[in-house]
Amino acid sequence: MAAFKLSFVVSNDSFSSLNSSFGSVGTNKGICGSLVKLKRIENTHWRFPTSVKKNPYLRLEASRDSLALTQKPEVQKMEKKGGSDDLFDEIKDRFLSFKKSKYLENSKHFQNLAQAQAPKFMVIACADSRVCPSNILGFQPGEAFIVRNVANLVPPLEKGPSETNAALEFAVTSLEVENIFVMGHSCCGGIRALMSMEDEGDSSSFIRNWVVISKNAKISTKASAANLDFDQQCRHCEKESVNRSLVNLLSYPWIEERVSKGVLSIHGGYYDFINCTFEKWTLDYKGSTAGKECTKYAIKDRAIWS
Protein backbone atom coordinates (compact mmCIF):
# COMPACT_ATOMS: atom_id res chain seq x y z
CA MET A 1 0.00 0.00 0.00
CA ALA A 2 1.46 3.34 -1.03
CA ALA A 3 2.12 5.91 1.65
CA PHE A 4 0.99 9.50 1.66
CA LYS A 5 2.43 12.85 2.70
CA LEU A 6 0.55 15.83 4.01
CA SER A 7 1.81 19.39 4.04
CA PHE A 8 -0.61 22.24 4.48
CA VAL A 9 -1.00 25.81 5.63
CA VAL A 10 -3.39 27.53 7.97
CA SER A 11 -3.62 31.28 8.36
CA ASN A 12 -3.89 32.65 11.87
CA ASP A 13 -7.38 33.87 10.95
CA SER A 14 -8.67 31.03 8.80
CA PHE A 15 -7.60 28.18 6.53
CA SER A 16 -5.46 29.66 3.77
CA SER A 17 -5.15 26.41 1.88
CA LEU A 18 -5.58 22.73 2.45
CA ASN A 19 -5.84 20.91 -0.86
CA SER A 20 -5.50 17.20 -1.45
CA SER A 21 -4.09 15.25 -4.37
CA PHE A 22 -3.17 11.63 -4.90
CA GLY A 23 0.41 10.58 -5.40
CA SER A 24 3.39 8.72 -4.06
CA VAL A 25 5.44 9.43 -0.98
CA GLY A 26 7.93 12.26 -1.03
CA THR A 27 9.99 14.08 1.55
CA ASN A 28 7.80 15.93 4.01
CA LYS A 29 8.00 19.68 3.46
CA GLY A 30 6.00 21.98 5.70
CA ILE A 31 6.02 24.83 3.15
CA CYS A 32 3.35 27.55 2.97
CA GLY A 33 0.90 26.90 0.17
CA SER A 34 1.92 23.28 -0.42
CA LEU A 35 -0.56 20.58 -1.30
CA VAL A 36 -1.91 17.71 0.70
CA LYS A 37 -0.73 14.53 -0.97
CA LEU A 38 -2.53 11.32 -0.30
CA LYS A 39 -2.25 7.96 -1.97
CA ARG A 40 -4.65 6.97 -4.74
CA ILE A 41 -7.16 4.50 -3.54
CA GLU A 42 -7.28 1.63 -5.97
CA ASN A 43 -9.68 -1.26 -6.08
CA THR A 44 -11.55 0.00 -3.06
CA HIS A 45 -14.50 -2.25 -2.25
CA TRP A 46 -17.39 -0.78 -0.30
CA ARG A 47 -20.26 -2.58 1.31
CA PHE A 48 -23.09 -0.27 0.31
CA PRO A 49 -26.17 -1.68 -1.42
CA THR A 50 -25.65 0.31 -4.66
CA SER A 51 -22.13 -1.00 -5.08
CA VAL A 52 -23.14 -4.52 -4.18
CA LYS A 53 -25.79 -4.60 -6.87
CA LYS A 54 -23.33 -3.52 -9.55
CA ASN A 55 -20.41 -5.77 -8.67
CA PRO A 56 -20.69 -9.55 -8.11
CA TYR A 57 -17.43 -9.51 -6.17
CA LEU A 58 -18.80 -6.92 -3.80
CA ARG A 59 -21.99 -8.91 -3.46
CA LEU A 60 -19.94 -11.93 -2.42
CA GLU A 61 -17.84 -9.87 -0.02
CA ALA A 62 -20.89 -8.22 1.52
CA SER A 63 -22.52 -11.59 2.03
CA ARG A 64 -19.41 -13.00 3.64
CA ASP A 65 -18.33 -10.07 5.76
CA SER A 66 -21.74 -8.51 6.48
CA LEU A 67 -20.20 -5.10 7.03
CA ALA A 68 -22.64 -2.87 5.17
CA LEU A 69 -23.99 0.10 7.06
CA THR A 70 -27.49 -0.72 5.92
CA GLN A 71 -27.33 -4.48 6.21
CA LYS A 72 -28.12 -6.47 9.31
CA PRO A 73 -25.23 -8.79 10.28
CA GLU A 74 -25.95 -12.44 9.73
CA VAL A 75 -24.61 -13.33 13.18
CA GLN A 76 -25.45 -11.21 16.19
CA LYS A 77 -23.18 -11.57 19.22
CA MET A 78 -25.95 -10.28 21.43
CA GLU A 79 -29.24 -11.90 20.49
CA LYS A 80 -32.54 -10.56 21.74
CA LYS A 81 -34.61 -13.50 22.93
CA GLY A 82 -37.39 -12.38 25.19
CA GLY A 83 -36.79 -8.67 25.60
CA SER A 84 -34.31 -6.24 27.10
CA ASP A 85 -34.00 -8.29 30.28
CA ASP A 86 -32.29 -11.06 28.32
CA LEU A 87 -29.82 -8.58 26.89
CA PHE A 88 -29.00 -7.21 30.32
CA ASP A 89 -28.63 -10.75 31.66
CA GLU A 90 -25.85 -11.20 29.11
CA ILE A 91 -24.31 -7.86 30.06
CA LYS A 92 -24.48 -8.92 33.71
CA ASP A 93 -22.60 -12.12 32.87
CA ARG A 94 -19.94 -10.10 31.04
CA PHE A 95 -19.55 -7.77 34.01
CA LEU A 96 -19.17 -10.62 36.46
CA SER A 97 -16.63 -12.23 34.15
CA PHE A 98 -14.70 -8.94 34.02
CA LYS A 99 -14.80 -8.67 37.80
CA LYS A 100 -13.49 -12.19 38.28
CA SER A 101 -10.87 -12.37 35.54
CA LYS A 102 -9.63 -8.77 35.48
CA TYR A 103 -10.72 -6.60 38.40
CA LEU A 104 -10.05 -9.02 41.26
CA GLU A 105 -6.85 -10.29 39.70
CA ASN A 106 -5.58 -6.71 39.39
CA SER A 107 -7.24 -5.20 42.42
CA LYS A 108 -4.21 -3.09 43.41
CA HIS A 109 -4.15 -1.44 39.99
CA PHE A 110 -7.86 -0.66 40.12
CA GLN A 111 -7.59 0.67 43.67
CA ASN A 112 -4.86 3.04 42.49
CA LEU A 113 -7.11 4.16 39.64
CA ALA A 114 -9.83 4.88 42.19
CA GLN A 115 -7.54 7.53 43.68
CA ALA A 116 -6.47 9.28 40.48
CA GLN A 117 -5.95 8.87 36.76
CA ALA A 118 -2.89 9.77 34.69
CA PRO A 119 -3.54 8.66 31.10
CA LYS A 120 -0.87 9.28 28.45
CA PHE A 121 -3.45 9.48 25.67
CA MET A 122 -6.57 11.39 24.84
CA VAL A 123 -8.43 9.61 22.03
CA ILE A 124 -11.15 11.23 19.93
CA ALA A 125 -13.02 8.51 18.08
CA CYS A 126 -16.32 7.99 16.31
CA ALA A 127 -19.46 6.91 18.14
CA ASP A 128 -19.89 4.13 15.57
CA SER A 129 -20.51 0.84 17.40
CA ARG A 130 -17.96 -0.97 15.23
CA VAL A 131 -14.94 1.12 16.16
CA CYS A 132 -14.35 0.94 19.92
CA PRO A 133 -10.79 2.25 20.49
CA SER A 134 -10.20 0.11 23.59
CA ASN A 135 -11.23 -3.02 21.72
CA ILE A 136 -9.22 -2.21 18.58
CA LEU A 137 -6.08 -0.71 20.13
CA GLY A 138 -6.11 -2.55 23.43
CA PHE A 139 -6.27 0.44 25.77
CA GLN A 140 -6.52 -0.72 29.36
CA PRO A 141 -8.29 1.12 32.20
CA GLY A 142 -6.35 4.27 33.04
CA GLU A 143 -4.39 4.43 29.77
CA ALA A 144 -6.62 6.62 27.59
CA PHE A 145 -9.11 9.42 28.16
CA ILE A 146 -11.61 8.72 25.39
CA VAL A 147 -14.23 10.94 23.78
CA ARG A 148 -16.51 9.60 21.07
CA ASN A 149 -18.71 11.68 18.81
CA VAL A 150 -20.24 11.48 15.35
CA ALA A 151 -17.44 11.24 12.75
CA ASN A 152 -14.65 11.78 15.34
CA LEU A 153 -14.63 15.55 14.76
CA VAL A 154 -12.76 18.27 16.63
CA PRO A 155 -14.52 21.64 16.34
CA PRO A 156 -12.29 24.72 16.09
CA LEU A 157 -12.15 27.10 19.03
CA GLU A 158 -14.41 29.67 17.36
CA LYS A 159 -17.20 27.11 16.99
CA GLY A 160 -18.04 27.51 20.65
CA PRO A 161 -18.48 25.11 23.56
CA SER A 162 -19.17 21.40 23.09
CA GLU A 163 -18.55 18.26 25.09
CA THR A 164 -15.53 17.53 22.87
CA ASN A 165 -13.63 20.73 23.61
CA ALA A 166 -14.66 20.55 27.26
CA ALA A 167 -13.04 17.10 27.38
CA LEU A 168 -10.01 18.47 25.53
CA GLU A 169 -9.58 21.20 28.13
CA PHE A 170 -9.75 18.74 31.00
CA ALA A 171 -7.47 16.17 29.37
CA VAL A 172 -4.81 18.70 28.36
CA THR A 173 -4.82 21.22 31.20
CA SER A 174 -5.74 18.97 34.14
CA LEU A 175 -4.67 15.44 33.22
CA GLU A 176 -1.75 16.75 31.13
CA VAL A 177 -1.95 13.97 28.54
CA GLU A 178 1.08 13.65 26.30
CA ASN A 179 -0.73 12.58 23.13
CA ILE A 180 -3.99 13.49 21.41
CA PHE A 181 -5.06 10.80 18.95
CA VAL A 182 -7.89 11.47 16.45
CA MET A 183 -9.08 8.14 15.08
CA GLY A 184 -11.12 7.93 11.86
CA HIS A 185 -12.50 4.81 10.24
CA SER A 186 -13.89 3.27 7.07
CA CYS A 187 -17.59 3.39 6.14
CA CYS A 188 -18.21 6.38 8.42
CA GLY A 189 -21.87 7.33 8.32
CA GLY A 190 -21.14 10.85 9.55
CA ILE A 191 -18.70 11.54 6.73
CA ARG A 192 -21.08 10.00 4.22
CA ALA A 193 -23.78 12.37 5.48
CA LEU A 194 -21.38 15.28 5.09
CA MET A 195 -20.50 14.28 1.52
CA SER A 196 -24.18 13.77 0.63
CA MET A 197 -25.70 16.93 2.05
CA GLU A 198 -26.55 19.97 -0.04
CA ASP A 199 -24.92 23.31 0.66
CA GLU A 200 -28.27 24.62 1.81
CA GLY A 201 -30.24 22.27 4.00
CA ASP A 202 -32.26 21.82 7.17
CA SER A 203 -30.62 24.15 9.67
CA SER A 204 -32.50 22.44 12.50
CA SER A 205 -30.75 19.10 11.89
CA PHE A 206 -28.39 18.27 14.72
CA ILE A 207 -26.42 15.94 12.47
CA ARG A 208 -26.00 18.57 9.76
CA ASN A 209 -24.96 21.25 12.21
CA TRP A 210 -22.34 18.90 13.65
CA VAL A 211 -20.75 17.33 10.55
CA VAL A 212 -20.53 20.73 8.83
CA ILE A 213 -17.55 21.28 11.13
CA SER A 214 -15.60 19.33 8.53
CA LYS A 215 -17.01 21.06 5.45
CA ASN A 216 -13.51 22.13 4.36
CA ALA A 217 -12.56 18.45 4.15
CA LYS A 218 -15.53 17.93 1.84
CA ILE A 219 -14.57 20.90 -0.33
CA SER A 220 -10.99 19.70 -0.56
CA THR A 221 -12.10 16.18 -1.42
CA LYS A 222 -14.51 17.32 -4.13
CA ALA A 223 -11.71 19.40 -5.68
CA SER A 224 -8.88 16.88 -5.56
CA ALA A 225 -10.77 13.60 -5.94
CA ALA A 226 -13.41 14.59 -8.49
CA ASN A 227 -12.37 11.71 -10.75
CA LEU A 228 -13.22 9.11 -8.11
CA ASP A 229 -16.62 7.59 -7.48
CA PHE A 230 -18.69 8.66 -4.49
CA ASP A 231 -17.64 5.79 -2.21
CA GLN A 232 -13.96 6.45 -2.87
CA GLN A 233 -14.51 10.16 -2.27
CA CYS A 234 -16.03 9.29 1.10
CA ARG A 235 -12.97 7.22 1.96
CA HIS A 236 -10.73 10.12 0.94
CA CYS A 237 -12.79 12.52 3.05
CA GLU A 238 -12.65 10.20 6.08
CA LYS A 239 -8.87 10.71 6.19
CA GLU A 240 -8.97 14.36 5.12
CA SER A 241 -11.40 15.08 7.94
CA VAL A 242 -8.99 13.60 10.47
CA ASN A 243 -6.29 15.99 9.25
CA ARG A 244 -8.68 18.92 9.52
CA SER A 245 -9.38 17.95 13.12
CA LEU A 246 -5.64 17.84 13.83
CA VAL A 247 -5.37 21.43 12.61
CA ASN A 248 -8.45 22.45 14.58
CA LEU A 249 -6.74 21.21 17.74
CA LEU A 250 -4.12 23.92 17.31
CA SER A 251 -6.78 26.63 17.40
CA TYR A 252 -6.86 26.10 21.18
CA PRO A 253 -4.05 28.21 22.72
CA TRP A 254 -3.35 25.76 25.53
CA ILE A 255 -2.89 22.96 23.00
CA GLU A 256 -0.80 25.00 20.56
CA GLU A 257 1.47 26.15 23.38
CA ARG A 258 2.16 22.61 24.56
CA VAL A 259 2.71 21.31 21.05
CA SER A 260 5.18 24.11 20.28
CA LYS A 261 7.07 23.26 23.49
CA GLY A 262 7.21 19.59 22.54
CA VAL A 263 5.33 18.33 25.59
CA LEU A 264 2.21 17.35 23.63
CA SER A 265 1.99 15.44 20.35
CA ILE A 266 -0.94 15.28 17.95
CA HIS A 267 -1.63 12.11 15.97
CA GLY A 268 -4.10 10.90 13.36
CA GLY A 269 -5.27 7.36 12.73
CA TYR A 270 -7.54 5.49 10.34
CA TYR A 271 -9.06 2.08 11.02
CA ASP A 272 -10.19 0.13 7.96
CA PHE A 273 -12.44 -2.53 9.45
CA ILE A 274 -13.12 -4.13 6.07
CA ASN A 275 -9.51 -5.22 5.64
CA CYS A 276 -8.54 -4.83 9.31
CA THR A 277 -5.66 -2.43 8.75
CA PHE A 278 -4.71 0.66 10.70
CA GLU A 279 -2.86 3.76 9.50
CA LYS A 280 -1.20 6.06 11.99
CA TRP A 281 0.57 9.37 11.47
CA THR A 282 1.77 12.37 13.48
CA LEU A 283 1.26 16.08 12.84
CA ASP A 284 4.63 17.75 12.36
CA TYR A 285 4.04 21.25 13.67
CA LYS A 286 6.60 23.69 12.27
CA GLY A 287 5.39 26.69 14.24
CA SER A 288 4.59 30.19 13.06
CA THR A 289 6.87 31.79 10.51
CA ALA A 290 8.41 34.91 12.00
CA GLY A 291 6.78 38.07 10.74
CA LYS A 292 4.29 36.21 8.54
CA GLU A 293 0.67 35.21 8.92
CA CYS A 294 1.53 31.64 8.10
CA THR A 295 1.91 28.42 10.02
CA LYS A 296 3.44 25.28 8.58
CA TYR A 297 2.39 21.70 9.08
CA ALA A 298 3.30 18.33 7.64
CA ILE A 299 2.79 14.64 8.32
CA LYS A 300 5.56 12.49 9.75
CA ASP A 301 6.08 9.00 11.17
CA ARG A 302 3.37 7.47 9.01
CA ALA A 303 2.93 3.73 9.48
CA ILE A 304 0.50 1.08 8.29
CA TRP A 305 -0.32 -1.79 10.61
CA SER A 306 -1.64 -4.80 8.76
Side-chain angles (χ1 to χ4, degrees):
M1 182 180 292
F4 72 84
K5 178 195 69 160
L6 171 67
S7 180
F8 51 95
V9 175
V10 176
S11 163
N12 288 345
D13 297 324
S14 61
F15 290 106
S16 58
S17 74
L18 185 54
N19 299 317
S20 299
S21 62
F22 288 84
S24 59
V25 172
T27 303
N28 288 335
K29 296 180 181 179
I31 300 176
C32 297
S34 57
L35 298 176
V36 178
K37 295 185 179 179
L38 301 175
K39 69 180 182 65
R40 180 178 296 278
I41 303 164
E42 298 177 349
N43 301 323
T44 303
H45 301 302
W46 293 86
R47 276 51 171 193
F48 294 108
T50 55
S51 299
V52 171
K53 291 179 181 179
K54 295 179 181 179
N55 193 318
Y57 174 74
L58 292 183
R59 186 161 57 247
L60 174 61
E61 286 292 293
S63 175
R64 184 175 62 191
D65 296 335
S66 301
L67 291 174
L69 288 175
T70 55
Q71 290 178 324
K72 182 179 180 181
E74 294 178 1
V75 178
Q76 297 281 356
K77 286 189 175 181
M78 186 178 288
E79 296 182 357
K80 186 175 180 179
K81 297 178 181 179
S84 61
D85 288 344
D86 291 324
L87 295 179
F88 277 97
D89 284 343
E90 183 171 347
I91 292 175
K92 172 186 173 182
D93 291 340
R94 293 181 184 184
F95 169 74
L96 294 176
S97 176
F98 158 77
K99 180 177 180 179
K100 179 180 179 181
S101 63
K102 294 184 179 180
Y103 185 91
L104 294 178
E105 290 183 4
N106 300 278
S107 58
K108 183 177 180 180
H109 172 64
F110 283 100
Q111 289 302 316
N112 288 335
L113 288 180
Q115 302 304 314
Q117 60 173 321
K120 301 293 185 183
F121 285 87
M122 178 181 183
V123 178
I124 299 172
C126 187
D128 194 305
S129 63
R130 300 164 294 182
V131 290
C132 175
S134 295
N135 182 260
I136 296 165
L137 300 177
F139 286 116
Q140 300 302 306
E143 290 184 342
F145 188 81
I146 299 176
V147 171
R148 299 179 68 176
N149 62 44
V150 174
N152 44 268
L153 301 181
V154 175
L157 178 65
E158 61 268 21
K159 186 71 175 178
S162 71
E163 64 172 313
T164 298
N165 48 36
L168 276 168
E169 182 179 7
F170 178 70
V172 173
T173 64
S174 296
L175 297 179
E176 298 183 336
V177 295
E178 298 175 7
N179 301 276
I180 301 177
F181 194 10
V182 180
M183 177 181 154
H185 69 94
S186 59
C187 300
C188 181
I191 295 300
R192 193 171 183 87
L194 170 69
M195 292 293 292
S196 301
M197 71 184 190
E198 301 294 334
D199 292 337
E200 299 295 332
D202 182 8
S203 61
S204 67
S205 169
F206 293 132
I207 295 174
R208 178 185 178 84
N209 290 335
W210 175 253
V211 299
V212 76
I213 289 171
S214 204
K215 65 180 179 180
N216 285 329
K218 174 184 177 179
I219 293 171
S220 177
T221 295
K222 291 291 187 180
S224 62
N227 60 316
L228 301 180
D229 65 34
F230 181 73
D231 290 338
Q232 289 176 316
Q233 287 181 1
C234 287
R235 184 181 178 93
H236 182 119
C237 191
E238 286 161 357
K239 297 181 182 181
E240 183 75 355
S241 180
V242 170
N243 289 322
R244 296 284 175 165
S245 285
L246 300 186
V247 176
N248 286 346
L249 285 169
L250 292 171
S251 67
Y252 298 88
W254 28 272
I255 292 180
E256 192 274 340
E257 178 184 6
R258 286 168 172 80
V259 172
S260 64
K261 290 180 178 179
V263 296
L264 176 64
S265 297
I266 294 176
H267 312 271
Y270 182 81
Y271 171 50
D272 181 345
F273 59 70
I274 297 174
N275 299 308
C276 197
T277 61
F278 198 97
E279 299 177 40
K280 178 266 176 188
W281 58 93
T282 298
L283 183 71
D284 187 10
Y285 176 55
K286 302 294 186 179
S288 298
T289 303
K292 297 181 180 179
E293 294 293 314
C294 181
T295 306
K296 297 182 291 185
Y297 311 86
I299 287 299
K300 65 179 182 179
D301 300 334
R302 181 175 180 272
I304 300 177
W305 307 334
S306 60

